Amino acid sequence: MKIKNKFAVYNIMMLITPILLIGVISVCFLIIFILKFPVEELNIPRAALIDPKVFSEAVGEFFRGNPAALWYMLLWAAICALILVLSTTVMTRLMSKSIENPINELDRAADYIRGGNLNFEFMGSNYDEIDMLCNNFDTMRRELKKAQENEQCMKKERSMLLANISHDLKTPITSIKGYIEGIRDGVADTPEKMNRYLDTIHAKAEVIDDMVNNLSTFSNLELSRLTFNFETADINAFVNEFLEDYRLDFEKNNIKLINNISADIAYVKLDREKMSRVFANLADNAVKYKREDNPSLEITTFTRDGGVYVYISDNGIGIGEKELQNVFDGFYRVDGSRSIKGSGLGLGIAKQIVEKHGGKIWLKSDGLGKGTTAVVYLPAAG
Ligand code: ADP
């Protein structure tokens, strides 16, 4: 109810309550008065009804003859006055309480927020206006809570990121140190052994180099420090060129390539170098997480929803449903894939690049062992 309507109700009650109570009391008093006192002596002449002087003389004469009746009338007047005062006080108290309660609640809520406690609920009130205020306050509380949770989540992610970076860097560094110590101690005592040791050191150094490069790209993308050189290009021709560049890699890994790229021309806004990185990361994953027997990779493109979809489907080890969202987070690697070379940054980088193109990227998988499809959607160039 609106404050103004509620106050009108209180005002009406403030009038009606004492009138009713005084009316009932007065009728009781009147009955007792008639029974108790000789009212027949209250001989008021007809003229007294229009002449107050004559009326007061007649009444005065009655009360002089019956002083108890005067006390009785005074008692009635006192009780009526008491009813008036009490009913007004009670109504005013009720009225102020109904406003005070939600305001006190808001005050308490402000104290909670100041103290960092955002886990309280608003009771609401009987007034529309105060309810609206409470609702706005509650929306603010929920937003603050969300921001607080996000901050905590980011803090946790940052710590996990640092833990993952140090872990992933530590592994190849430890192994490089081990091989160097081996050389120092003379374990690599033949030219073949020495070459093997040096090759391993070189390979491990490349892993670190890759990781540092990925890390730098990832953080530059996050900080929007990479400049994009967009041009309008046919995405179908671009994916075809990319596949040609990668054909040897697929052949080397015995991956059967199925080309379903549309023959149509589909223009999108494209930074060739960055988009090549996206497809390279997706293709690398299809190679790294391939199955042993009859691995295959199918690339399909088609135009729909005002843009172009590129599907890169492998029949490899697949991903569990719960992991599908997480794999785009920096350094996230599905359990079990840690034995395969990788930094956990490839999909995170791909996502940021695609989003900078105004597009979307996601993974689909029917589950472990059932292959994975990476979907890239890019809006058509206007
Ligand atoms: P990584 O360097 O580990 O490959 P990515 O960010 O490219 O990092 O991928 C994150 C994780 O997602 C991988 O560790 C792997 O577990 C999973 N993944 C990505 N692509 C595929 C795929 N095609 N098949 C199976 N798992 C995949």
Side-chain angles (χ1 to χ4, degrees):
M1 197 187 269
K2 288 199 174 307
I3 292 185
K4 114 175 148 206
N5 296 344
K6 189 93 179 177
F7 272 36
V9 171
Y10 274 118
N11 276 336
I12 292 168
M13 278 166 66
M14 227 183 255
L15 274 176
I16 288 177
T17 315
I19 288 174
L20 280 178
L21 285 175
I22 289 174
V24 171
I25 292 284
S26 301
V27 169
C28 296
F29 262 78
L30 187 64
I31 293 168
I32 298 170
F33 190 88
I34 291 167
L35 295 175
K36 203 169 153 51
F37 298 104
V39 281
E40 61 283 353
E41 284 174 20
L42 193 62
N43 197 8
I44 300 174
R46 188 175 288 274
L49 294 176
I50 43 165
D51 186 343
K53 196 171 162 244
V54 180
F55 181 82
S56 58
E57 268 170 16
V59 171
E61 197 180 321
F62 175 79
F63 283 123
R64 265 193 302 280
N66 300 284
L70 183 65
W71 284 114
Y72 189 77
M73 287 305 290
L74 284 176
L75 180 66
W76 168 76
I79 288 178
C80 287
L82 196 67
I83 287 174
L84 207 64
V85 170
L86 277 181
S87 65
T88 317
T89 313
V90 168
M91 284 298 156
T92 314
R93 188 86 197 101
L94 282 179
M95 201 157 86
S96 62
K97 261 244 156 295
S98 69
I99 288 218
E100 246 172 49
N101 286 347
I103 287 178
N104 283 344
E105 207 191 330
L106 279 172
D107 191 40
R108 243 190 334 268
D111 278 346
Y112 284 148
I113 291 177
R114 201 178 314 124
N117 174 7
L118 298 169
N119 295 317
F120 55 88
E121 289 287 328
F122 276 96
M123 307 292 282
S125 86
N126 295 329
Y127 298 107
D128 293 353
E129 292 88 340
I130 296 183
D131 245 5
M132 212 155 72
L133 188 64
C134 285
N135 276 341
N136 285 340
F137 216 91
D138 204 40
T139 311
M140 184 182 84
R141 173 191 72 84
R142 271 185 272 124
E143 303 260 300
L144 279 173
K145 196 170 170 208
K146 220 192 295 167
Q148 198 184 50
E149 281 167 0
N150 279 348
E151 199 188 310
Q152 275 164 0
C153 205
M154 269 167 67
K155 265 191 199 158
K156 204 170 139 201
E157 268 177 17
R158 215 177 305 144
S159 319
M160 270 174 60
L161 206 74
L162 282 175
N164 284 335
I165 295 175
S166 40
H167 172 269
D168 287 354
L169 282 176
K170 210 170 162 45
T171 316
I173 288 173
T174 311
S175 125
I176 289 175
K177 273 166 69 184
Y179 280 97
I180 290 175
E181 266 163 35
I183 293 171
R184 249 201 220 144
D185 296 347
V187 183
D189 47 5
T190 62
E192 292 78 36
K193 262 193 185 171
M194 178 63 87
N195 274 343
R196 235 183 29 242
Y197 271 48
L198 289 177
D199 282 350
T200 315
I201 291 171
H202 186 253
K204 299 288 172 193
E206 279 207 324
V207 169
I208 298 175
D209 193 39
D210 264 9
M211 195 181 292
V212 172
N213 277 340
N214 275 335
L215 197 57
S216 136
T217 312
F218 185 75
S219 58
N220 280 334
L221 279 163
E222 285 231 306
L223 296 170
S224 297
R225 281 206 302 230
L226 280 194
T227 40
F228 279 70
N229 299 311
F230 290 114
E231 59 179 286
T232 301
D234 174 15
I235 183 75
N236 291 328
F238 175 82
V239 181
N240 262 317
E241 277 165 33
F242 171 80
L243 278 193
E244 278 316 307
D245 290 348
Y246 252 73
R247 189 171 288 280
L248 265 180
D249 261 58
F250 295 131
E251 274 170 16
K252 221 165 58 193
N253 285 285
N254 294 324
I255 295 179
K256 185 179 158 208
L257 199 61
I258 305 161
N259 185 333
N260 270 330
I261 299 172
S262 160
D264 297 341
I265 292 176
Y267 287 117
V268 295
K269 194 178 77 168
L270 206 64
D271 178 321
R272 286 178 177 273
E273 192 199 322
K274 309 270 186 327
M275 196 50 79
S276 297
R277 181 79 183 258
V278 172
F279 287 110
N281 288 357
L282 297 177
D284 279 347
N285 282 350
V287 173
K288 280 193 292 188
Y289 307 111
K290 67 175 185 166
R291 64 202 258 175
E292 287 312 316
D293 56 318
N294 300 323
S296 69
L297 183 69
E298 182 174 352
I299 318 275
T300 308
T301 67
F302 56 89
T303 304
R304 193 185 290 165
D305 307 328
V308 182
Y309 286 88
V310 182
Y311 277 54
I312 300 160
S313 305
D314 63 54
N315 62 349
I317 62 170
I319 305 179
E321 202 190 328
K322 273 196 260 161
E323 322 273 11
L324 284 174
Q325 293 300 319
N326 303 334
V327 288
F328 289 96
D329 295 343
F331 286 99
Y332 189 90
R333 304 198 71 201
V334 177
D335 277 350
S337 54
R338 288 215 167 258
S339 54
I340 301 167
K341 183 181 157 240
S343 61
L345 291 169
L347 289 177
I349 290 173
K351 183 170 190 254
Q352 301 214 42
I353 294 177
V354 171
E355 284 176 356
K356 289 274 186 309
H357 280 75
K360 280 186 192 147
I361 180 170
W362 64 97
L363 290 192
K364 297 201 291 188
S365 177
D366 288 334
L368 291 175
K370 295 188 176 154
T372 307
T373 298
V375 184
V376 177
Y377 168 82
L378 294 172

